Amino acid sequence: MRATEQNEGVIIVGAGLVGSLLAVELARQGYSVEVLERRPDMRREVIDAGRSINLAISTRGLYALRQQGLEEEALRHAIPMRGRMIHPPKGSLVYQPYGKDDSQHINSLSRAWLNKFLMSAAEQSGRVRFRYRQRVTHLDSRTGALTVVDEGTGEERREEGRVVFGTDGSGSAVRQALEQVPGFESTQEQLGHGYKELTIPAGPGGAFQMEKHALHIWPRGTYMLIALPNEDGSFTCTLFLPWKGPVSFESLDTPARLEAFFEEQFPDAKALIPDLTEAFFARPTGSMVTVKCAPWHAGGKAVVLGDAAHAIVPFFGQGMNCGFEDVTVFNRLLAEHGAWESLFGALEKLRKTNSDAIADMAVENFIEMRDSTGNPRFLLEKAVEKVLLNAFPGTFVSRYSMVSFSRVPYRLAYEVGAIAGGIVSELSEGLTRAEDVDLERAGRLIQERLVPFMKEHADGFRTEG
């Protein structure tokens, strides 16, 4: 246990998902926590309408909630998604299971609901105080002193003497302050696509108008539409388009062009979105960025976690899961380190390579989702992959299953995925049906390539956060 006063105070900047979960954990460990949030209390005011992408919570995120006794309640509000439902421009729907069977699934969960739930759980500890409309304008990385503006009153003040945790998202003010730290490096890569949120309402009696237990995708090459189910029978849709170009947000500048575009590319979705034009032009267009930085901390005075340290694009459904895993690892390290600086250094060492790996995989998965999911060769290889997962349990694994259904470090999932993908590609050559795959040859390739790698990294494959 850390050698510290039980009532030591800390400050968390940002009351989003990671900040709120971190507040729960720090309170559980006996700390007095103050959370500064620039927005108003989302439990009392509607904010940022149209800017959310539904969460796909999976094994890593659920484990973090389980550690706090919160998983069971979260799952009551989640909808299992057992695979992708592909919507081609013409022809029949195509279903792609995520795992070897229905037990392996991801879960659609309302971002707003989960955030509110975590904030309330933190407050119920009696050790956490949230303060809203608080804008951090400066952090002294040498002392940890914060300059904060109360946007309700306009008053400026200094907050000193407490360790600062920056969980304030991809535009983090705390991360920007770390630029004062010698040797600090940061990259921010904007995706050339933006996103727009739309809604397919529930049918009569709250009925789902499409398959409930699937993540729906309309892949169209350089752009796509996705839809995730909600508790009330609706679907939250997200349209991903380039910012500029022949088909882009820039080109869809009139209701007529928008209607014609949806009629041509997403006719089945268009029939289910009654307020398409109104919502499209009224709701903001969001941007997406990949952030990588180092170091994550300024001595023992301040540290960044979640998107503030490693923002990733949403196409592997791992942004929140990765941020929650930061808290899982922090929780374990808290019992092992007696000083904040030592703890923060260990946290960065364990998480930096893994967050970089999932950031890269998320960009790659974007290309897969928009370009490949409707490709016959891709569909065949996914079917072969499922055959191998069932035929060689424990020895054959896929990148997707490692990322979504295990807590194996992301960097190992990235590497093992490349090996497994190569095996699948070779075995799929000349096939027309997945069930005709040569299992004898598959067994040899797995033993020659995959098993040695997994044995070499056996400790990593047993890692639990």
Side-chain angles (χ1 to χ4, degrees):
M1 185 67 188
R2 274 180 42 79
T4 185
E5 295 287 337
Q6 269 287 294
N7 292 320
E8 179 182 346
V10 299
I11 290 180
I12 296 175
V13 180
L17 294 168
V18 174
S20 296
L21 180 65
L22 181 63
V24 173
E25 170 59 28
L26 286 167
R28 188 169 71 92
Q29 295 289 348
Y31 293 90
S32 174
V33 184
E34 184 169 77
V35 185
L36 305 180
E37 170 56 50
R38 185 171 182 177
R39 300 170 298 177
D41 186 346
M42 65 188 306
R43 294 167 296 179
R44 295 175 174 82
E45 297 184 36
V46 177
I47 55 176
D48 287 347
R51 285 193 181 274
S52 68
I53 298 175
N54 265 33
L55 300 173
I57 191 167
S58 52
T59 298
R60 299 168 199 268
L62 291 172
Y63 180 81
L65 293 178
R66 191 181 316 146
Q67 297 301 101
Q68 309 299 337
L70 303 174
E71 178 190 29
E72 187 175 343
E73 179 62 21
L75 285 175
R76 288 195 187 101
H77 296 267
I79 298 176
M81 297 185 294
R82 303 183 181 112
R84 297 167 170 167
M85 187 67 77
I86 308 303
H87 297 246
K90 298 178 182 178
S92 302
L93 302 181
V94 178
Y95 179 70
Q96 300 172 358
Y98 279 130
K100 61 182 180 179
D101 55 43
D102 283 351
S103 69
Q104 291 188 323
H105 60 263
I106 58 179
N107 303 275
S108 178
L109 187 61
S110 164
R111 180 183 299 270
W113 178 87
L114 182 59
N115 207 155
K116 295 172 186 177
F117 172 60
L118 292 175
M119 291 165 71
S120 296
E123 284 182 334
Q124 288 164 13
S125 70
R127 291 183 173 273
V128 180
R129 177 193 182 198
F130 286 88
R131 298 182 67 179
Y132 301 98
R133 300 184 188 278
Q134 306 295 305
R135 178 166 57 91
V136 171
T137 59
H138 181 71
L139 165 69
D140 187 325
S141 63
R142 294 176 295 102
T143 66
L146 287 172
T147 303
V148 185
V149 174
D150 185 315
E151 295 195 327
T153 65
E155 177 188 356
E156 182 179 277
R157 69 182 188 280
R158 278 175 66 85
E159 298 278 2
E160 300 180 272
R162 288 180 285 178
V163 173
V164 175
F165 293 84
T167 57
D168 48 341
S170 60
S172 170
V174 177
R175 186 185 68 248
Q176 291 171 26
L178 294 182
E179 294 174 2
Q180 305 165 19
V181 176
F184 179 81
E185 295 183 356
S186 176
T187 63
Q188 299 185 44
E189 296 182 9
Q190 289 283 344
L191 199 66
H193 287 61
Y195 69 90
K196 181 87 71 173
E197 182 183 301
L198 304 166
T199 303
I200 293 176
F208 289 86
Q209 298 198 69
M210 302 186 297
E211 168 56 46
K212 174 182 179 180
H213 294 292
L215 190 158
H216 294 258
I217 306 179
W218 290 256
R220 299 295 185 265
T222 60
Y223 54 91
M224 68 177 178
L225 179 72
I226 68 170
L228 278 72
N230 298 311
E231 275 190 286
D232 63 359
S234 67
F235 287 83
T236 297
C237 303
T238 310
L239 175 65
F240 298 96
L241 279 175
W243 288 104
K244 297 179 180 295
V247 180
S248 64
F249 282 113
E250 182 183 58
S251 71
L252 299 180
D253 56 354
T254 67
R257 287 175 178 167
L258 174 69
E259 294 275 348
F261 171 66
F262 263 75
E263 187 61 48
E264 179 184 2
Q265 295 297 333
F266 315 118
D268 56 339
K270 180 177 182 291
L272 300 175
I273 307 175
D275 65 343
L276 172 62
T277 299
E278 178 185 351
F280 183 90
F281 288 105
R283 293 178 178 176
T285 305
S287 61
M288 294 168 285
V289 64
T290 297
V291 173
K292 297 178 182 178
C293 73
W296 288 11
H297 63 104
K301 301 297 184 181
V303 66
V304 286
L305 294 86
D307 282 357
H310 50 71
I312 66 177
V313 295
F315 304 108
F316 220 127
Q318 288 296 304
M320 178 270 301
N321 290 287
C322 182
F324 277 14
E325 196 168 59
D326 288 350
V327 180
T328 295
V329 175
F330 173 84
N331 177 22
R332 174 164 60 82
L333 294 174
L334 199 57
E336 300 173 4
H337 293 265
W340 287 118
E341 184 170 5
S342 171
L343 190 161
F344 295 160
L347 178 69
E348 180 185 339
K349 184 177 180 180
L350 286 172
R351 297 299 294 155
K352 167 68 174 164
T353 56
N354 289 304
S355 62
D356 284 353
I358 189 57
D360 293 339
M361 286 189 280
V363 174
E364 291 177 14
N365 212 48
F366 175 45
I367 297 169
E368 175 180 302
M369 290 174 72
R370 74 182 195 198
D371 293 1
S372 304
T373 48
N375 183 289
R377 169 73 183 202
F378 176 84
L379 298 176
L380 174 65
E381 290 191 2
K382 280 298 179 185
V384 169
E385 181 179 278
K386 184 178 180 182
V387 170
L388 298 185
L389 287 169
N390 283 291
F392 301 97
T395 56
F396 180 81
V397 293
S398 70
R399 177 178 290 174
Y400 191 90
S401 63
M402 287 288 95
V403 168
S404 298
F405 308 131
S406 85
R407 292 169 47 232
V408 166
Y410 287 123
R411 62 180 176 82
L412 289 182
Y414 189 91
E415 294 177 39
V416 81
I419 298 170
I423 291 172
V424 169
S425 182
E426 284 188 35
L427 293 171
S428 299
E429 288 294 339
L431 286 184
T432 56
R433 302 191 316 158
E435 51 266 39
D436 294 333
V437 66
D438 185 339
L439 293 180
E440 183 177 342
R441 183 184 175 209
R444 289 198 306 271
L445 293 176
I446 291 167
Q447 289 298 321
E448 290 171 4
R449 302 180 191 177
L450 202 51
V451 171
F453 179 87
M454 294 178 71
K455 286 182 177 178
E456 180 184 355
H457 300 279
D459 288 345
F461 281 96
R462 286 194 294 268
T463 296
E464 295 190 337

